[in-house]
Amino acid sequence: MISIYSISAVILAYLFGSIPTAVWLGQAFYGVDVREYGSGNAGATNTFRVLGKKAGIAVMTIDIAKGYTATKLAYFIGLSVTGPQNSAQFVNYELALGVTAVMGHLFPIFAGFRGGKGVATLFGMILAVNFPAAMLCVLVFITILLITKYVSLSSICAGFTFPLSIVFLLHSSIKSEVLYGMCVCVLILVTHQKNLERLLMGKESKVYLFKKKTN
């Protein structure tokens, strides 16, 4: 059912996703547009590289919150329309709003449609839709990051963890959720194509969380 509330929720979800956290934070506190440095992406990973840990953590936290908040706008539509929480119909609304937020992050209206890769916003969406699966993704992400120091590789592995966990561990019966999980893998691979090329050539930058790189 299309209503003024559902249309408003979609618009709000896109606007939430379009908040260019990395760009605004970098310009406001550092006088730097992160899109002009590093990988050129307006996301948490590039912020870590260009502006450091504090800025990177702030951007990552806000971007996760963007995805989570936008997804939970399903409640704004009304349960009389979406159906009860955890029903297939409700999850479908959550997925639609979350994807809209991710698209907003990739193509933000507030930053000339030059955004980031959407990993943090995507995680916020996963957190809202399936909390146990999201926690497994976090575990995989942290483990791979601590071992390899590659954020891109960690993101890719975490992305593939989501569909595998909801199918084989959590046994989700919601077909749209499973299909979405498969789409997550495709999106992660597409947005990290250049990272994969650098990884294969051994040129990908590393991120050291607990100590600085020593020569």
Side-chain angles (χ1 to χ4, degrees), residues 16 18 25 49 59 80 93 138 148 156 187 194 201-202:
F16 274 131
S18 287
L25 186 147
R49 292 195 186 103
V59 169
S80 61
Y93 272 100
V138 170
T148 68
I156 293 169
L187 178 64
K194 292 183 179 180
M201 294 186 293

Side-chain angles (χ1 to χ4, degrees), residues 31-146:
V32 171
D33 186 340
V34 296
R35 295 173 299 177
E36 305 302 324
Y37 300 90
S39 65
N41 289 298
T45 301
N46 198 39
T47 303
F48 269 106
R49 292 195 186 103
V50 177
L51 302 180
K53 296 177 184 178
K54 291 183 178 180
I57 291 173
V59 169
M60 180 174 65
T61 301
I62 296 173
D63 283 352
I64 290 173
K66 286 173 8 182
Y68 183 89
T69 304
T71 304
K72 287 303 181 183
L73 284 172
Y75 286 102
F76 174 77
I77 298 173
L79 296 180
S80 61
V81 176
T82 64
Q85 185 181 2
N86 296 326
S87 67
Q89 188 173 351
F90 183 85
V91 172
N92 289 342
Y93 272 100
E94 285 190 312
L95 292 174
L97 294 171
V99 168
T100 302
V102 173
M103 295 305 295
H105 182 86
L106 295 174
F107 308 104
I109 192 173
F110 301 125
F113 302 99
R114 291 178 58 201
K117 296 177 181 176
V119 174
T121 305
L122 187 65
F123 174 71
M125 175 185 177
I126 293 173
L127 193 65
V129 173
N130 195 315
F131 183 80
M135 291 300 97
L136 287 172
C137 291
V138 170
L139 179 61
V140 169
F141 179 88
I142 292 175
T143 301
I144 300 299
L145 181 60
L146 290 175

